[in-house]
């Protein structure tokens, strides 16, 4: 043990409290960090949502979400520990990543968890929604009442674009065991109300490959950041209509108001979209060509539950951590866990 507070050094990185060493068959030595919930969260929250620049109420919301997840999940109990330190569970970095802001947020919400119907909720969170969160059944398979789509008006959305050549797509399909020949077309067959592709059809010279829900992201040589995407000439964006209804529209062929009047957007035209925060992003409108496919989209992560960018936006707008959690998790309660 060294320093104040006393920590244990493992491969040059420090961890609180104590460690246990185990040797499992077929593996190297496994290091298990045994510590309190508060100290565990101290190594999680900074890596999941940020540090002193993150609004305090967003740090508190993340602290409660991470605590609820930790209490509800024991994925590796057959190996003698509850959670690992990777994205399989929650990213954990030990004492090295702690900072005053996140530790204060953890203390300010000590013991608080999210429940639904009097039972501990199974919470999920991610980086960026792209405008609206997803129904759990549109990403995985099971519908959960408190994991349903909500608008995300305060999020500083992350936009992105990828380009894949025909040969890259063809080789990727073959590597996946989808022997459909040379890829000739990619089509988003079904899109959810939140703008996520829930069925993707890839056509080749000798067959067709279908991808559903979250697997649509793995249909490309690079795993896509989210399910909110469009392909080449079918490029689209999710817009809000009257009554807060979300609708995905195709950009090429749509009408746009300009300084000289109304005009039609043609494929290949540069289109710029300004979000609620004044951020301007480019929307891909190029058509598919023989050289490849342009994929453009928004958001990052699975889209179910709490958007971390959205939580930061809500906190900056004056919402409390309770407001944030109840916005993203429909019908939940926030209460003190009975084991504290």
């Amino acid at each position: 043990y060294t320093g104040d507070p006393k920590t244990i050094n493992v491969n040059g990185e420090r961890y609180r409290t104590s460690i246990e060493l185990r040797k499992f068959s077929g593996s190297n030595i496994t290091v298990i960090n045994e510590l309190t919930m508060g100290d565990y969260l101290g190594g999680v929250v900074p890596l999941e949502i940020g540090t002193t620049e993150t609004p305090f109420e967003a740090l508190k919301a993340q602290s409660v979400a991470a605590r609820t997840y930790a209490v509800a999940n024991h994925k590796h109990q057959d190996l003698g520990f509850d959670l690992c330190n990777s994205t399989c569970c929650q990213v954990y970095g030990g004492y090295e990543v702690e900072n005053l802001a996140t530790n204060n947020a953890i203390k300010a919400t000590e013991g608080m968890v999210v429940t639904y119907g009097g039972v501990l909720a199974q919470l999920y969170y991610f980086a960026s929604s792209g405008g609206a969160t997803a129904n759990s059944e549109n990403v995985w398979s099971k519908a959960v009442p408190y994991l349903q789509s909500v608008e995300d008006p305060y999020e500083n959305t992350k936009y992105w674009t990828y380009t894949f050549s025909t040969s890259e797509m063809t080789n990727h399909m073959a590597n996946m065991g989808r022997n459909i020949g040379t890829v000739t077309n990619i089509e988003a067959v079904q899109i959810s109300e939140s703008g996520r592709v829930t069925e993707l059809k890839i056509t080749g010279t000798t067959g067709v490959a279908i991808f559903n829900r979250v697997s649509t992201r793995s249909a490309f040589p690079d795993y896509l950041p989210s399910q909110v995407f469009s392909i080449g000439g079918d490029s689209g964006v999710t817009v809000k209509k009257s009554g807060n209804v979300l609708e995905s529209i195709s950009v090429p062929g749509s009408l746009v108001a300009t300084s000289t009047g109304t005009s039609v957007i043609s494929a290949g035209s540069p289109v710029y979209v300004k979000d609620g925060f004044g951020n301007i992003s480019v929307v891909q409108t190029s058509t598919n060509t023989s050289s490849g496919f342009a994929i453009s989209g928004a958001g990052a992560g699975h889209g179910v539950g709490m958007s971390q960018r959205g939580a930061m936006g809500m906190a900056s707008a004056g919402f409390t951590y309770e407001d944030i959690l109840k916005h993203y998790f429909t019908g939940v309660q926030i209460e003190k866990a009975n084991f504290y």
Side-chain angles (χ1 to χ4, degrees):
Y1 293 92
T2 60
D4 184 20
K6 293 186 181 301
T7 58
I8 304 170
N9 188 305
V10 180
N11 291 333
E13 297 188 355
R14 293 175 294 170
Y15 296 89
R16 286 181 180 267
T17 313
S18 65
I19 63 170
E20 177 182 343
L21 303 179
R22 291 195 179 189
K23 179 67 172 70
F24 295 101
S25 177
S27 72
N28 296 322
I29 297 296
T30 297
V31 180
I32 301 173
N33 191 188
E34 300 173 330
L35 70 175
T36 66
M37 178 65 73
D39 289 343
Y40 165 71
L41 294 177
V44 170
V45 178
L47 295 179
E48 289 291 358
I49 200 168
T51 57
T52 55
E53 297 181 359
T54 304
F56 193 57
E57 291 300 311
L59 292 178
K60 289 162 71 175
Q62 179 66 66
S63 298
V64 176
R67 180 183 294 109
T68 305
Y69 182 93
V71 175
N73 288 279
H74 308 278
K75 290 185 178 182
H76 306 287
Q77 61 183 356
D78 59 324
L79 296 175
F81 58 94
D82 295 310
L83 302 166
C84 68
N85 61 350
S86 73
T87 54
C88 167
C89 296
Q90 295 184 126
V91 180
Y92 170 70
Y95 180 73
E96 297 289 349
V97 303
E98 290 186 23
N99 66 78
L100 182 60
T102 52
N103 281 349
N104 285 340
I106 293 162
K107 291 177 182 177
T109 61
E110 185 175 5
M112 302 306 292
V113 295
V114 178
T115 62
Y116 181 83
V119 178
L120 196 68
Q122 182 66 264
L123 298 194
Y124 298 94
Y125 51 87
F126 57 94
S128 170
S129 72
T133 66
N135 289 357
S136 57
E137 67 269 23
N138 287 334
V139 177
W140 301 312
S141 59
K142 181 180 178 181
V144 179
Y146 54 84
L147 298 177
Q148 296 298 293
S149 177
V150 297
E151 292 182 38
D152 212 356
Y154 295 94
E155 179 186 273
N156 182 2
T157 298
K158 179 178 181 179
Y159 295 92
W160 44 267
T161 300
Y162 287 82
T163 300
F164 303 110
S165 68
T166 298
S167 62
E168 286 177 323
M169 286 301 305
T170 299
N171 291 336
H172 183 61
M173 288 296 100
N175 291 336
M176 297 184 75
R178 305 294 187 99
N179 299 311
I180 61 173
T182 301
V183 173
T184 58
N185 189 56
I186 306 174
E187 178 185 2
V189 178
Q190 291 185 6
I191 300 176
S192 71
E193 292 182 359
S194 66
R196 286 169 171 78
V197 178
T198 55
E199 183 177 338
L200 184 73
K201 178 181 179 181
I202 299 182
T203 303
T205 53
T206 61
V208 170
I210 301 294
F211 297 84
N212 298 105
R213 296 186 289 276
V214 70
S215 71
T216 59
R217 297 169 64 186
S218 63
F220 301 90
D222 291 326
Y223 191 73
L224 296 186
S226 80
Q227 282 178 244
V228 183
F229 64 87
S230 54
I231 306 101
D234 190 34
S235 299
V237 294
T238 300
V239 298
K240 184 188 295 184
K241 300 171 62 179
S242 60
N244 292 327
V245 175
L246 294 176
E247 180 178 287
S248 180
I249 64 169
S250 175
V251 172
S254 298
L255 296 177
V256 61
T258 69
S259 59
T260 57
T262 302
S263 62
V264 178
I265 301 174
S266 60
S269 300
V271 174
Y272 301 89
V273 175
K274 180 184 290 186
D275 64 21
F277 291 89
N279 301 301
I280 297 176
S281 302
V282 180
V283 176
Q284 175 64 249
T285 65
S286 62
T287 58
N288 296 344
T289 68
S290 59
S291 62
F293 304 89
I295 313 297
S296 61
H302 51 68
V304 179
M306 184 180 75
S307 160
Q308 291 164 318
R309 283 184 178 236
M312 288 186 278
M314 289 186 68
S316 296
F319 291 94
T320 67
Y321 84 93
E322 293 100 331
D323 295 330
I324 295 169
L325 291 168
K326 288 183 178 180
H327 170 72
Y328 288 109
F329 303 105
T330 309
V332 301
Q333 297 298 317
I334 302 166
E335 55 188 318
K336 190 93 167 182
N338 57 17
F339 49 82
Y340 281 88

